[in-house]
Amino acid sequence: MIQALRTAFDNLAGRHGLGVALFVGAAVFLWVLVLIVLPQLSMLDFSFRHNLPPPEIGGPNDVYTLDNYRYFLIGPDAGLNSLDIGVLLRTILAALFVTLIDIALCYPIAFILAHSARGVAVRLMVIGLIVPFWVNEILRAFAFRVLFGTTGLINGVGMGLGLWEAPIDFIRADVALYAGLTYAYILLMVFPIYNAVEALDRNQIEAARDMGASWWRVHWRVVLPVAKPGIASGATMVFMLTAGALAAPQILGGPSNLWFTQLIYQWFNEAGDWPRGAAYATILLVVCLSFVLMTMRLFRVSIGAIGR
């Protein structure tokens, strides 16, 4: 890692000068230290503390404890905390489901952008992808709630075409939630795959087709190996952001679907128990990072390949 950073610094200094390299290096260091490392360390420290009133903080009762993590596993009744553990598992599975949908949608879009569309078509496709994201994320979530509501456009068209007779509650069925989350992070999947696929020489695709390879085999043997780092990069961002989403689950989620981030929000803001909220946030972070690293190992994709 240190050697890679040193090589990147030397390359930057060679291209743009030592001053620019020092400025960029200092800016990145401060960004990582102040906005990532220190807040995470503070949250980790909070997670091992008791929830004490302000006058007792720093006193003899302010000691480290594992009670907050024990509560997640055991709960208040000295039994398995199946509710919170189940919410975490459902959140991870839902984030994985949204990530897979984004991959299925964005891979063909990225391939068309990189190797099929030309000129005006490419610009129109890029504009069509980017412009909707000028709207605030919360407004987009409410728009999806209106769209999938019982009196919304989806139900209106469906009943108008005779596909169903009574309005379908897409909110309660969490269809609106999954659709909103899939759309919210679609750009984070399209462009990493596009950057990876764009580097593929089209002559390789033509050669494979000339040799009689079917279309799916061309993608499986030629395109996907090149696109794999881009898919891994996009999947990592989409999965982490989906698992950590709060606004969309609160606006679009059904009454029976509780997101783990909502539990964290409740501990921090409604219960006022910051140590327990910090412990739950740490658990979510560790589980998500472990899942991502396991997936990268399974697909044999390194962090360096994702960075490229």
Side-chain angles (χ1 to χ4, degrees), residues 108-121:
I109 295 174
F111 181 81
I112 291 172
L113 278 173
H115 289 284
S116 296
R118 292 289 183 271
V120 177

Side-chain angles (χ1 to χ4, degrees), residues 31-292:
W31 178 282
V32 173
L33 179 66
V34 176
L35 298 181
I36 299 177
V37 175
L38 292 181
Q40 295 297 333
L41 290 177
S42 177
M43 184 178 69
L44 185 64
D45 179 72
F46 255 110
S47 70
F48 291 105
R49 299 283 186 176
H50 290 286
N51 186 31
L52 300 174
E56 296 186 23
I57 295 177
N61 295 327
D62 191 6
V63 295
Y64 288 107
T65 177
L66 293 174
D67 286 349
N68 298 311
Y69 293 95
R70 189 180 298 113
Y71 182 92
F72 171 76
L73 295 173
I74 299 177
D77 302 324
L80 183 66
N81 192 356
S82 57
L83 175 62
D84 291 355
I85 295 174
V87 171
L88 176 60
L89 292 177
R90 286 198 304 272
T91 300
I92 297 300
L93 290 176
L96 177 61
F97 181 64
V98 170
T99 303
L100 293 175
I101 295 176
D102 268 339
I103 292 174
L105 291 175
C106 296
Y107 174 78
I109 295 174
F111 181 81
I112 291 172
L113 278 173
H115 289 284
S116 296
R118 292 289 183 271
V120 177
V122 173
R123 291 191 288 272
L124 289 176
M125 288 182 68
V126 172
I127 291 173
L129 287 170
I130 293 177
V131 168
F133 287 85
W134 291 358
V135 180
N136 183 273
E137 180 181 356
I138 296 178
L139 295 178
R140 292 201 307 270
F142 276 110
F144 269 85
R145 189 174 182 88
V146 172
L147 184 67
F148 284 93
T150 53
T151 59
L153 178 64
I154 303 296
N155 271 306
V157 172
M159 290 188 293
L161 295 176
L163 299 178
W164 54 84
E165 296 180 358
I168 299 176
D169 193 347
F170 292 110
I171 305 296
R172 185 176 293 273
D174 292 321
V175 174
L177 174 60
Y178 291 127
L181 287 171
T182 299
Y183 181 74
Y185 306 118
I186 196 169
L187 289 183
L188 298 178
M189 184 69 74
V190 167
F191 289 117
I193 300 176
Y194 168 78
N195 288 334
V197 174
E198 189 184 26
L200 178 65
D201 188 355
R202 185 166 181 81
N203 291 328
Q204 294 179 267
I205 300 175
E206 296 298 335
R209 297 185 67 181
D210 290 342
M211 295 177 66
S214 60
W215 189 242
W216 73 266
R217 192 169 182 83
V218 169
H219 281 271
W220 182 256
R221 298 296 297 272
V222 179
V223 182
L224 278 176
V226 177
K228 191 163 62 171
I231 294 174
S233 177
T236 299
M237 292 187 288
V238 171
F239 176 82
M240 296 293 285
L241 289 173
T242 302
L246 178 61
Q250 285 188 322
I251 297 171
L252 297 173
S256 61
N257 192 327
L258 185 64
W259 219 253
F260 197 73
T261 49
Q262 292 174 288
L263 288 181
I264 298 172
Y265 178 86
Q266 290 172 4
W267 283 120
F268 271 111
N269 293 277
E270 297 178 10
D273 193 338
W274 282 48
R276 189 153 294 166
Y280 274 51
T282 302
I283 290 170
L284 178 62
L285 176 63
V286 171
V287 170
C288 288
L289 286 176
S290 301
F291 187 86
V292 168

